Amino acid sequence: MRSHRRSRLLAPFLLVPLISSCFASGGGDDSGSGDEGDGSRLRVALAFPPAENLSPYGADATLLSRLAVTEGLTALDANGSAAPALAESWRRDGERTWEFTLRDATFQDGSEVTPAAVADSLTHATDAEPAPAALAGVTLSAEAGGERVVRITTAEPDPVLPLRLSSPGLAVLSAKAYEKSGHVDPVGTATGPFALTKVNGAGSATLDRFDDYWGGRAQASGIDARFIADGTARANALRTGELDIAEAVPVAQAATLDKETRRDTATTRTTSLLLNATSGTFADAKLRAAARAALDTSVFAEDVYEGYADPGAGIYGPAVTWAEGKRTRPVGRAAAGKADGKTVTLATYDNRPELPQVAQVVKQQLEKAGFKVKLTVREYSRLEGDALDGKFDAFVLARNTLLDTGDPVAVLSGDYTCDGGFNIAQLCDKAVDSAVAGAEKIADTAKRQDAAMAAEARILGSDAVVPLVHQRIITGVADSVQGVILDPYERTLVGTGTRR
């Protein structure tokens, strides 16, 4: 199996109808251009510290998009379809080429967003090592195609390219961002309504309003962002008035916040147990089946998540409303074997405080079935490399299944195929690869969904992944704050209309 180190913020379907929310996409939807004052600064806490110096190509890409620093040619709207962002329109020219017409926009360093600049930025993304998750299995080239047109050609037909280009990992940056060899610098080089002005390591960042933003002048004058991995600390800082917005409030802290202060949103995030299908104890499909059979997943939603979640049904949860009606039984499951005291290493991370609790329950249930379990809990950035290298037998992961591209097939390709760049389960199954490859070629929305569910059935049948729970995210919002974006995809948090 080829191993690619590709971070995800754990942590991206065609026209997928989601539950209604306050989600807004694109710069103009929540424009604050009518505000003539300087506005107050927003104090925001994010759960994940930067892991890669705020590079747009890995886990940090979503930090940048959530703080309204970066944007791409397209965005996702509330229904999961591609919406205009830096591109105001697009059309397909043949099977492999798309033309995107740019709107008038300016980079935060004052340079103009031109077709050549966009093409150069996308070329840097394709040359990145590893490439952004949205480009997994895709080869593309970009070039200026006219005064306001960018032409993008893929090696193979890509029916979901406009969705793919909405990925936070394909944000468009100015030429200045790439001046330092081997490093991409988003400070003052993006196009969003807020510009990074200072980054203090993994602790905090300062952002100022970008007054020339194409979507209108933001109502807040800037953002003071803090990266606080401890969920209790985030909740306490909100409660004591030190913060205006705190993302990912732990379930255990929700009751300590006033009802008006906590907002819960169904998301496309699923917490699963991934079992190493290539090496160690769970390379044996019968022992994977034994582990799956040992788990009582009904306890997680009510006991661990205290009702802020739904029981695990599959890779896609109830926020992806079309999935349940198309789901079929798992295919090819092995008969369960006997644990016979086999020792397994189980790992998870504490950036999401519920995950260590989930892992403890998993540990207890596996031990009851006869396994011996060694549990490791670390901060995510200190754990990801070992997980991707297959150093654990089992891993509890919270994964936003539609974060990277908005396409349901993309997460299957990246997470469960032989060459998948985020294959923590180390699954390499010819039948799975064939099912995913077939789904990738389908352009029709309903047929692509059907193919995605058929591939899901094969992946679940391998027992390399056991869905445990589908999460609701709790965002803490001070009473004085308006315009926070409650996004089921977890790509955005603040916008031009966010203010206090």
Side-chain angles (χ1 to χ4, degrees):
M1 179 186 305
R2 190 172 69 207
S3 174
H4 296 290
R5 182 65 48 80
R6 179 176 291 120
S7 299
R8 308 290 162 90
L9 189 60
L10 305 169
F13 72 156
L14 300 175
L15 302 175
V16 178
L18 293 175
I19 60 169
S20 62
S21 69
C22 298
F23 173 56
S25 178
D29 292 346
D30 59 347
S31 173
S33 57
D35 177 35
E36 296 300 328
D38 286 339
S40 299
R41 294 183 66 83
L42 294 168
R43 300 164 301 170
V44 179
L46 301 183
F48 285 80
E52 299 166 328
N53 298 315
L54 288 177
S55 165
Y57 299 144
D60 296 349
T62 314
L63 295 180
L64 296 170
S65 68
R66 288 178 71 73
L67 291 172
V69 174
T70 56
E71 55 192 355
L73 287 178
T74 62
L76 286 184
D77 69 11
N79 292 319
S81 57
L86 290 175
E88 59 185 10
S89 64
W90 51 88
R91 71 179 188 90
R92 197 168 187 176
D93 183 16
E95 285 195 340
R96 297 190 300 111
T97 299
W98 295 74
E99 290 188 344
F100 293 82
T101 300
L102 302 180
R103 66 173 75 251
D104 290 329
T106 305
F107 288 110
Q108 293 161 351
D109 60 11
S111 60
E112 184 182 356
V113 177
T114 64
V118 172
D120 181 64
S121 184
L122 291 175
T123 298
H124 279 285
T126 61
D127 291 341
E129 188 59 44
L135 294 181
V138 176
T139 301
L140 63 79
S141 60
E143 62 181 1
E147 184 178 354
R148 302 301 305 162
V149 173
V150 178
R151 285 177 60 85
I152 300 178
T153 301
T154 56
E156 301 293 334
D158 186 4
V160 296
L161 184 64
L163 274 179
R164 193 180 303 282
L165 293 173
S166 73
S167 169
L170 297 180
V172 175
L173 303 176
S174 72
K176 185 178 179 181
Y178 311 103
E179 288 179 352
K180 296 179 181 179
S181 178
H183 176 66
V184 184
D185 188 1
V187 176
T189 61
T191 61
F194 294 100
L196 275 172
T197 57
K198 186 177 182 180
V199 179
N200 301 306
S204 64
T206 302
L207 300 84
D208 290 339
R209 176 172 54 206
F210 175 44
D211 286 340
D212 291 330
Y213 178 55
W214 63 265
R217 189 169 180 260
Q219 294 188 18
S221 59
I223 299 173
D224 297 313
R226 294 164 61 186
F227 305 106
I228 306 175
D230 186 288
T232 300
R234 289 196 302 277
N236 286 340
L238 180 73
R239 201 164 41 242
T240 58
E242 298 174 41
L243 292 174
D244 300 309
I245 305 169
E247 75 163 359
V249 173
V251 166
Q253 295 295 316
T256 69
L257 301 179
D258 293 337
K259 184 177 180 181
E260 295 75 18
T261 305
R262 62 180 188 265
R263 320 279 176 84
D264 67 283
T265 310
T267 72
T268 54
R269 183 174 297 277
T270 297
T271 294
S272 299
L273 177 67
L274 301 176
L275 302 177
N276 188 331
T278 293
S279 62
T281 298
F282 293 128
D284 185 339
K286 292 183 178 180
L287 292 179
R288 294 199 302 274
R292 183 254 308 157
L295 296 177
D296 176 6
T297 59
S298 66
V299 304
F300 296 104
E302 289 302 321
D303 293 350
V304 177
Y305 286 89
E306 300 180 17
Y308 288 102
D310 298 291
I315 294 172
Y316 314 103
V320 187
T321 54
W322 54 262
E324 184 59 34
K326 294 175 178 285
R327 180 164 286 122
T328 59
R329 293 177 61 86
V331 175
R333 272 184 169 163
K338 293 184 178 181
D340 287 335
K342 294 285 196 307
T343 297
V344 297
T345 56
L346 170 65
T348 195
Y349 46 101
D350 55 11
N351 302 76
R352 298 185 181 277
E354 296 82 17
L355 295 189
Q357 298 177 54
V358 171
Q360 283 288 354
V361 175
V362 170
K363 178 177 184 290
Q364 293 166 8
Q365 293 184 354
L366 290 179
E367 287 176 338
K368 187 176 180 180
F371 292 98
K372 293 181 180 179
V373 183
K374 296 180 179 179
L375 177 60
T376 295
V377 179
R378 302 179 203 155
E379 196 274 327
Y380 180 74
S381 64
R382 298 176 52 239
L383 195 70
E384 184 190 61
D386 286 346
L388 289 171
D389 288 341
K391 293 185 178 180
F392 305 113
D393 295 303
F395 194 87
V396 174
L397 175 75
R399 178 79 161 104
N400 191 320
T401 57
L402 299 177
L403 176 67
D404 294 329
T405 65
D407 171 30
V409 181
V411 70
L412 305 183
S413 177
D415 290 23
Y416 303 110
T417 62
C418 294
D419 289 336
F422 198 65
N423 191 349
I424 291 177
Q426 310 295 310
L427 179 64
C428 189
D429 183 296
K430 290 182 179 179
V432 168
D433 277 22
S434 177
V436 172
E440 288 177 322
K441 298 175 182 178
I442 299 173
D444 178 81
T445 300
K447 291 180 180 179
R448 192 176 181 94
Q449 292 170 354
D450 291 340
M453 298 311 293
E456 183 201 56
R458 290 211 170 265
I459 293 166
L460 293 177
S462 74
D463 285 326
V465 55
V466 183
L468 303 176
V469 72
H470 305 292
Q471 294 176 236
R472 302 179 71 87
I473 192 168
I474 305 171
T475 305
V477 182
D479 292 343
S480 59
V481 176
Q482 301 178 42
V484 172
I485 302 172
L486 303 178
D487 175 12
Y489 309 104
E490 301 181 74
R491 291 181 173 193
T492 55
L493 181 64
V494 297
T496 55
T498 312
R499 64 192 182 279
R500 66 181 177 95

